[in-house]
Amino acid sequence: MIYLDHAATTPVPREVADAMYAVLTEQFGNPSSQYQLGMDMKKQVEDWRRTVAGALGCDARELFFTSCGTEGDNWAVTAACWQNRHLGRHIVTTAVEHNAVLEACKWLEKQDYEVTYLVPDANGGISAEKVLSAVRPDTALVSIMMVNNELGNVYPIADIARGLAAKNPRTLLHTDAVQGFLKVPFTAKSLGADFITISGHKVGGPKGVGALYIGPRVRNPRPLLPGGGQEAGLRSGTEATAQIVGFAKAVELRMDHLPEKLAHMAAVKAHAVETLSAIPDLMIVGGGTAPHILSVSLVGWPSQNIVTDLSAQGICVSAGSACHQGKASHVVAALKLPKKAAGGVIRLSFGPETTEADIDACAEALKKHHDTRMPML
Ligand code: PLP
């Protein structure tokens, strides 16, 4: 199998699975239990928190484990609006966020919030100036993703944070960094966002675990799950110890020689741009500079057919984001591409394991698809 869909999810390395297995079978204690097995687990969870927080560049006390990136996004959006409920009911976000942010915003619209959805330029870019010019005195929250999951565009979060501090310091800033974490270099401290969402399964961890950074400007954050008081009383529920150790182990493995891994992914992407550009009717979509995501369109050939054809040959790519489940992508729609180009968009995404030979096999299959299938769009 040739797996070119690392932005959808990533394979779990053996060491991660082994660490999870040990926690499931031997170190299975509940961190809230008062005997040694439980107390050991409590200590371990804090060690694992320190590992993930270290990679994010924040204090462990600022990092809260969640069940996924979607949960972190929802928590951040609602907690920011809760803190700023007396400031106003306006939110600035983009039309190309993940649905986890978009649907949370739509829910808030039903609670009388007004949401400005910024539309990117034709390359998928959104400037800090564009974001800041949409901010008003009553803007409670600005939520802008760090890396677009379909295009790979990197948005200027640190510039937005600086601009917000000058223009409207009470407005809180959230960034969905699910595709940015361990892909583009940043630290929570240097970024200046108040909330940062990350997810385990995009970096070699298991599905079902993520984390939310909550910075010092968020006073008394609104608890997501009131209950037994875990996660400093903000997100109750017995800690998912196996998922958490898997997340921490994956982060530890990714952090090892990370610059080399990122350089490798960037080289694979550059090779993909060069190789795929030679295919007739193929165009590069968006101006993504993240090392692991590349969108292309086989203009005139429906993306769903390409995905199915490549899948039959053991090659996994996606038609836009996996979360769309076959529906037209709102990200591609926001680019306002001509119909034939929009209909042919597929996303390739890479991990440290991806090789140039994988790209060559994919290019060959795409070329064959182009040469042997009728264009239908
Ligand atoms: N945000 C972005 C940018 C994503 O790419 C994804 C997953 O694809 C999510 C949020 C959701 O993360 P999770 O699958 O952990 O809920």
Side-chain angles (χ1 to χ4, degrees), residues 218-277:
V218 187
R219 301 176 309 275
N220 300 319
R222 186 183 188 191
L224 178 71
L225 298 175
Q230 292 89 348
E231 299 300 304
L234 296 183
R235 201 260 179 202
S236 293
T238 302
E239 294 87 343
T241 48
Q243 314 303 112
I244 294 171
V245 70
F247 190 7
K249 190 76 199 168
V251 165
E252 195 184 299
L253 292 175
R254 273 288 162 113
M255 289 289 284
D256 184 32
H257 292 87
L258 183 62
E260 287 85 345
K261 285 175 185 151
L262 296 179
H264 171 76
M265 287 188 239
V268 165
K269 178 170 166 174
H271 179 71
V273 169
E274 196 188 318
T275 316
L276 298 178
S277 297

Side-chain angles (χ1 to χ4, degrees), residues 7-8 67-71 73 98 100 145 147-149 176-179 197-202 208-209 321 323 347:
S67 69
C68 56
T70 300
E71 181 181 318
D73 283 345
H98 189 272
M145 67 201 324
V147 173
N148 184 272
N149 50 306
D176 172 344
V178 167
Q179 298 290 350
T197 304
I198 59 175
S199 174
H201 72 110
K202 311 292 185 180
V209 64
S321 143
C323 300
R347 176 187 70 184

Side-chain angles (χ1 to χ4, degrees), residues 114-135:
E114 189 190 333
V115 183
T116 301
Y117 298 95
L118 300 171
V119 178
D121 61 30
N123 279 325
I126 296 175
S127 67
E129 293 70 36
K130 184 166 188 157
V131 174
L132 293 166
S133 65
V135 172

